[in-house]
């Protein structure tokens, strides 16, 4: 049974591609858009293989309003959009803030304007981040949606905060609009088919791609940034969430927006497992789950890193009827299977 049409921006990206799979599995019609600035058409091929479906797709830049408008002209029945398309490199955003504000804000403004223009009821699911909480006060852990939003530590983080604020104001101004902001913790892993996964350009900045590339022999060793933090083993703690679990939360968020009576038109959910793991714990899980050796050493702290953060996901568990429950070893095996597939390792 078809449930309605969902526009996915950044459909060829890491989380976007996994979400398209889950939307199709759940019976939604999908229209994907992407400009491939940080993604590859191969990812869409992977999605089509997994779902055994041709996914309608338009290559365009969401910050180009004229191009983007064509999507809504062609598919006026879009019931909801999931907005993944954005730049996401924290370090680069510090070097090139204008690029980040220009792209991330403009594309959201275009999407919102096009969503409300004809007065049809529509929803937007926005990819936000736990980065909006900054360094949480230790007594606030696990961190709930009620925790204060702290001044962002990077322009990337600031675009997430600003986009949330823009959407909140637009929900107030436009009665036809509903919004769900999803604050992701640390998404990792790949689809069990190993047909889609994370594809970092250049040297990976994030932990798990660096681990899998090191295990594959592409990087000499993993550097663990800091082992003198005030945590049990001295390394930073994060809440690592399986990308397929994360993708399913988007489907649950769309279901809810299209189902509910509209009394709660702006909602925020934390998407995490509720459990924090240290860098060292994650590394040890990888080694034991895959049986692969992983050379690593300790290095100085990385500037800007948060010491420890993990989610209180109970609001999403309760209201979305969703839970991230894939065991971490399975998640890490999926990341390794994907890396091996990409590198042609048996
Ligand atoms: N780490 C290493 N070595 C590496 C890479 C990472 O030790 O080579 C450590 C980091 O210092 C950190 C942990 O692994 O302690 C996780 O680092 P990631 O870069 O994987 O993830 P972050 O938590 O730093 O960043 C993620 C997203 C950002 C987002 C942020 C929100 O990548 O987009 O969460 O907190 F802004």
């Amino acid at each position: 049974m078809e449930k309605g049409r969902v526009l996915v921006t950044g459909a060829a990206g890491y989380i976007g591609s996994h979400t398209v799979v889950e939307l199709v599995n759940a019976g939604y019609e999908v229209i994907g858009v992407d400009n491939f600035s940080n993604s590859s058409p191969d990812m869409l091929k992977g999605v089509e293989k997994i779902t055994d479906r041709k996914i309608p797709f338009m290559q365009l830049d969401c910050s180009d309003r004229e191009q983007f408008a064509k999507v809504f002209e062609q598919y006026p029945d879009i019931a909801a959009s999931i907005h993944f398309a954005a730049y996401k490199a924290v370090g680069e955003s510090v070097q090139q803030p204008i690029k980040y504000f220009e792209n991330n804000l403009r594309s959201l403004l275009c999407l919102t304007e096009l969503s409300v223009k004809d007065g049809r009821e529509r929803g937007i699911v926005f990819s936000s981040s736990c980065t909006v909480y900054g360094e949480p006060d230790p007594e606030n852990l696990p961190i709930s949606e009620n925790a204060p939003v702290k001044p962002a530590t990077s322009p990337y983080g600031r675009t997430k905060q600003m986009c949330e604020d823009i959407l909140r104001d637009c929900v107030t101004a436009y009665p036809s609009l509903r919004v769900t902001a999803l604050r992701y913790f640390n998404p990792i892993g790949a689809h069990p088919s190993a047909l889609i996964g994370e594809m970092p350009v250049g040297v990976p900045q994030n932990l798990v791609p660096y681990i899998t590339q090191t295990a594959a022999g592409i990087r000499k060793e993993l550097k663990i940034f800091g082992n003198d933090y005030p945590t049990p083993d001295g390394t930073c703690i994060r809440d690592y969430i399986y990308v397929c679990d994360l993708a399913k939360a988007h489907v649950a968020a769309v279901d809810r927006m299209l189902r509910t009576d509209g009394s709660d038109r702006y909602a925020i959910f934390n998407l995490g497992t509720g459990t924090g793991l240290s860098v060292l714990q994650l590394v040890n899980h990888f080694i034991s789950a895959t049986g692969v050796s992983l050379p690593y050493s300790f290095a100085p702290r990385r500037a800007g890193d948060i010491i420890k953060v993990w989610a209180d996901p109970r609001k999403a568990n309760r209201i979305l009827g969703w839970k991230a429950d894939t065991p971490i070893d399975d998640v890490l095996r999926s990341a390794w299977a994907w890396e091996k597939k990409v590198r042609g390792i048996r």
Side-chain angles (χ1 to χ4, degrees):
M1 190 191 73
E2 299 297 352
K3 291 213 260 185
R5 192 178 303 280
V6 178
L7 164 65
V8 179
T9 75
Y14 175 41
I15 307 172
S17 57
H18 288 81
T19 300
V20 173
V21 169
E22 298 302 334
L23 286 166
V24 171
N25 287 345
Y28 283 102
E29 290 275 6
V30 173
I31 161 74
V33 304
D34 204 301
N35 66 353
F36 300 127
S37 70
N38 191 24
S39 62
S40 144
D42 290 346
M43 229 35 88
L44 295 175
K45 287 191 200 131
V47 170
E48 294 190 336
K49 227 172 178 173
I50 295 166
T51 57
D52 196 21
R53 285 278 193 97
K54 182 104 195 86
I55 308 293
F57 176 79
M58 293 165 84
Q59 181 176 349
L60 58 88
D61 186 335
C62 299
S63 63
D64 181 334
R65 201 196 159 286
E66 302 225 317
Q67 274 188 36
F68 202 1
K70 295 195 180 121
V71 179
F72 282 81
E73 278 159 27
Q74 199 166 328
Y75 299 99
D77 61 344
I78 289 169
S81 304
I82 309 182
H83 187 46
F84 295 107
Y87 293 147
K88 61 173 186 178
V90 177
E92 183 187 56
S93 80
V94 176
Q95 305 300 321
Q96 301 180 57
I98 294 170
K99 174 175 165 177
Y100 274 68
F101 291 121
E102 172 113 51
N103 182 65
N104 293 7
L105 299 187
R106 192 192 286 273
S107 62
L108 178 85
L109 288 170
C110 289
L111 173 64
T112 310
E113 194 208 333
L114 293 167
S115 298
V116 300
K117 214 173 95 172
D118 60 5
R120 283 194 194 214
E121 294 213 334
R122 289 201 178 91
I124 295 177
V125 176
F126 175 65
S127 287
S128 190
S129 165
C130 67
T131 195
V132 301
Y133 298 120
E135 179 80 59
D137 296 327
E139 66 270 19
N140 266 345
L141 285 168
I143 199 155
S144 83
E145 293 82 355
N146 299 324
V149 165
K150 297 223 179 124
T153 50
S154 71
Y156 159 78
R158 206 176 313 283
T159 68
K160 294 296 175 195
Q161 297 179 340
M162 292 167 89
C163 286
E164 286 194 7
D165 289 344
I166 288 168
L167 287 167
R168 200 180 284 106
D169 285 345
C170 287
V171 162
T172 306
Y174 307 110
S176 60
L177 184 66
R178 294 174 191 195
V179 167
T180 308
L182 300 179
R183 292 178 176 164
Y184 312 154
F185 283 67
N186 287 56
I188 60 167
H191 192 267
S193 63
L195 289 166
I196 53 175
E198 194 169 6
M199 192 65 107
V201 177
V203 180
Q205 304 301 307
N206 296 116
L207 181 60
V208 169
Y210 208 101
I211 287 176
T212 56
Q213 290 198 9
T214 306
I218 296 153
R219 312 279 157 209
K220 205 167 121 253
E221 63 169 7
L222 170 73
K223 296 234 180 297
I224 295 181
F225 299 135
N227 63 343
D228 58 351
Y229 284 104
T231 60
D233 65 20
T235 64
C236 292
I237 298 177
R238 296 288 184 277
D239 185 336
Y240 296 94
I241 174 172
Y242 184 36
V243 67
C244 293
D245 288 338
L246 186 66
K248 287 180 185 140
H250 291 76
V251 177
V254 171
D255 284 346
R256 176 182 169 274
M257 278 197 309
L258 300 185
R259 188 181 62 222
T260 49
D261 60 8
S263 53
D264 178 18
R265 291 173 38 238
Y266 183 87
I268 298 173
F269 296 100
N270 280 344
L271 299 182
T273 66
T275 304
L277 279 183
S278 74
V279 176
L280 210 45
Q281 284 176 314
L282 192 87
V283 165
N284 286 328
H285 272 290
F286 181 84
I287 294 168
S288 64
T290 61
V292 179
S293 68
L294 183 75
Y296 68 85
S297 66
F298 295 108
R301 293 181 177 195
R302 182 171 73 177
D305 266 343
I306 281 161
I307 304 166
K308 50 182 175 180
V309 63
W310 61 95
D312 176 349
R314 285 177 301 176
K315 186 180 174 199
N317 298 161
R318 197 176 68 245
I319 296 177
L320 298 180
W322 164 93
K323 197 168 192 296
D325 52 11
T326 307
I328 188 71
D329 287 358
D330 293 350
V331 178
L332 292 168
R333 273 192 287 267
S334 78
W336 178 229
W338 163 247
E339 187 72 56
K340 285 198 292 185
K341 172 86 185 304
V342 171
R343 309 292 163 193
I345 300 169
R346 289 185 157 261

